[in-house]
Amino acid sequence: MRTNQRPYTLSKLIFFIALLPLVAVAQTVPLTQDAYVVPGNGSNFGGTASMNVNGVNNSQSLAQFDLSSLSGITAANVSRATFTFFVNKVTAAGNVNISVANGSWTESTVNGTNAPVAAAAVSSGLNIPSAGVYVSIDATNAVKSWLTATTNNGFLIAPADGTVNIAIDTKESSTTSHPATLTVLLTATGPTGTQGPTGVTGATGVTGAGTTGATGATGSQGSTGATGATGATGNNGAAGATGATGFAGATGINGTVGATGATGATGNNGATGVTGAASAVPGPQGATGSTGPTGSGGAFFSANVNYPQTATSSSPFYFSPNASGDPTSGGNFTAFNQVAVPMVKACTFDALYVSANPVPGGLGSGGPFSVALVVNGTPTALSVSLNNSGASTVKNSATGSISVNAGDLVGLQGVGSGLTLGSSTIGTMLHCQ
């Protein structure tokens, strides 16, 4: 009995020893840099506590790991590599694509104008339904490629649709503190041991000789039972509810339009309305005054004023040369700076003509008044005095000549009881050589 068991036990031991050199070790490589970028945006987001993947503005995240700890490891030693990141916020669920980055980048300077783009796909259409979860993907082929030939530029996480909006923990996170990881499962085969001696072949066991039992006979089929009696007919069910009223029929065609009736008799004219009130607008303008004497050449400045303001020596009335009418009823220019006109060139005023016309209808009591040339706010000797006695008057004053410079302010001043609000209209003309 011992002889039969020994070869069997020894073969099992040899098989177990043959498996020992095969060892599997999981190694997590360090995360060296992570950031996110917004295409077209020159801002750097390498120091934030989370990195975004947003389908609205196409923001993308980058993560790179240091593989120097795998020195001496070949692709053949990599059994599996797993890239894992933690989703700390989901503003809008959706899908993302994970690829390897096609170029180098630096966490402190990468932005939306110099960031690498996606190269070989690692995982496509990965759904992110909710926050607070770890997401792990198989990155074996990417890691093997980095260990064999291609440059390790890390992973790029980009939106796969226009709605996804998530935030992923970075190594700078101080709240959830779950930075991305890359775990590599390595297998190493040790040196093959010396082959042991061949075990003694065990004796062949005796073959069993039991006989097969006979098959039992099939039993006979039982007879068919009699059909049961038909049950009694049930009572009639309750009457159903009345159906809904049908739709109303279409409206009939309108009848023929009847003949137009005869026109009724014209009604009586209404009573004449009340005559309107008399107009308060003054009557027509008076006759044109007589023509003044012919000037000696030079320039003329004229001013016509309707209904001048009541003027006294303490409160004179001012109006400007080259005025045509007065925009206020009765006139109320009682300050020189309201009407002063700057001279565009130097000039010598040598004549002043004044015409007074009483208002039609005899308004105003008339009386004496004077008009004088005013330069820079001071009345000059060039003036006219006359009596507004109810008839048009023209008077020329040549009492002196007044020289003015370009830019001087020039105006006309009226003073006297003959200038009473509503009493007259006056016209003036200045001659300048």
Side-chain angles (χ1 to χ4, degrees):
M1 201 60 174
R2 282 184 176 177
T3 303
N4 290 342
Q5 290 296 324
R6 182 180 178 186
Y8 175 71
T9 301
L10 182 60
S11 64
K12 288 173 63 178
L13 181 60
I14 293 172
F15 175 75
F16 175 72
I17 292 174
L19 293 179
L20 284 179
L22 187 63
V23 179
V25 178
Q27 183 170 340
T28 299
V29 296
L31 173 65
T32 56
Q33 55 180 2
D34 51 15
Y36 78 93
V37 297
V38 180
N41 187 332
S43 299
N44 170 257
F45 302 103
T48 59
S50 62
M51 50 188 183
N52 299 335
V53 179
N54 189 337
V56 176
N57 63 5
N58 198 31
S59 61
Q60 306 168 9
S61 294
L62 294 160
Q64 187 175 27
F65 297 86
D66 181 8
L67 302 185
S68 62
S69 60
L70 301 181
S71 177
I73 301 298
T74 67
N77 298 126
V78 177
S79 174
R80 180 180 178 87
T82 304
F83 173 44
T84 302
F85 56 87
F86 183 77
V87 180
N88 65 47
K89 182 179 180 182
V90 173
T91 303
N95 301 319
V96 299
N97 293 330
I98 302 174
S99 310
V100 294
N102 78 330
S104 62
W105 55 280
T106 303
E107 181 180 86
S108 61
T109 60
V110 69
N111 58 56
T113 64
N114 61 16
V117 297
V122 177
S123 178
S124 301
L126 181 65
N127 183 253
I128 310 295
S130 59
V133 297
Y134 288 95
V135 178
S136 296
I137 61 166
D138 184 354
T140 305
N141 289 337
V143 173
K144 284 186 174 184
S145 176
W146 291 334
L147 292 174
T148 302
T150 61
T151 302
N152 168 23
N153 293 313
F155 297 100
L156 185 145
I157 309 172
D161 54 47
T163 58
V164 65
N165 187 356
I166 65 172
I168 299 170
D169 265 14
T170 67
K171 58 184 174 59
E172 288 79 14
S173 173
S174 61
T175 52
T176 47
S177 301
H178 300 312
T181 62
L182 178 62
T183 302
V184 182
L185 185 63
L186 303 174
T187 57
T189 304
T192 304
T194 304
Q195 184 174 345
T198 304
V200 179
T201 304
T204 303
V206 179
T207 302
T211 58
T212 302
T215 302
T218 302
S220 59
Q221 181 176 339
S223 58
T224 302
T227 302
T230 301
T233 302
N235 297 326
N236 290 335
T242 304
T245 305
F247 296 106
T251 304
I253 301 171
N254 293 336
T256 305
V257 178
T260 304
T263 303
T266 303
N268 298 328
N269 291 335
T272 302
V274 179
T275 302
S279 173
V281 178
Q285 183 175 339
T288 304
S290 57
T291 304
T294 303
S296 58
F300 285 90
F301 298 82
S302 63
N304 299 301
V305 183
N306 296 324
Y307 311 137
Q309 172 73 28
T310 299
T312 65
S313 59
S314 62
S315 179
F317 170 74
Y318 291 92
F319 57 101
S320 63
N322 287 340
S324 179
D326 188 346
T328 59
S329 177
N332 52 16
F333 295 140
T334 58
F336 175 74
N337 60 10
Q338 291 178 315
V339 298
V341 175
M343 293 298 295
V344 297
K345 61 183 291 185
C347 175
T348 299
F349 288 101
D350 58 4
L352 171 62
Y353 303 87
V354 180
S355 172
N357 295 290
V359 173
L363 297 177
S365 59
F369 73 98
S370 65
V371 176
L373 173 68
V374 182
V375 178
N376 294 327
T378 303
T380 68
L382 188 59
S383 65
V384 172
S385 297
L386 67 163
N387 194 309
N388 183 13
S389 58
S392 176
T393 302
V394 178
K395 191 170 182 179
N396 172 26
S397 172
T399 57
S401 59
I402 305 298
S403 297
V404 295
N405 298 314
D408 285 348
L409 299 177
V410 178
L412 293 168
Q413 179 193 70
V415 178
S417 61
L419 291 177
T420 304
L421 179 62
S423 66
S424 62
T425 63
I426 59 175
T428 63
M429 185 172 292
L430 278 163
H431 182 256
C432 184
Q433 288 284 21

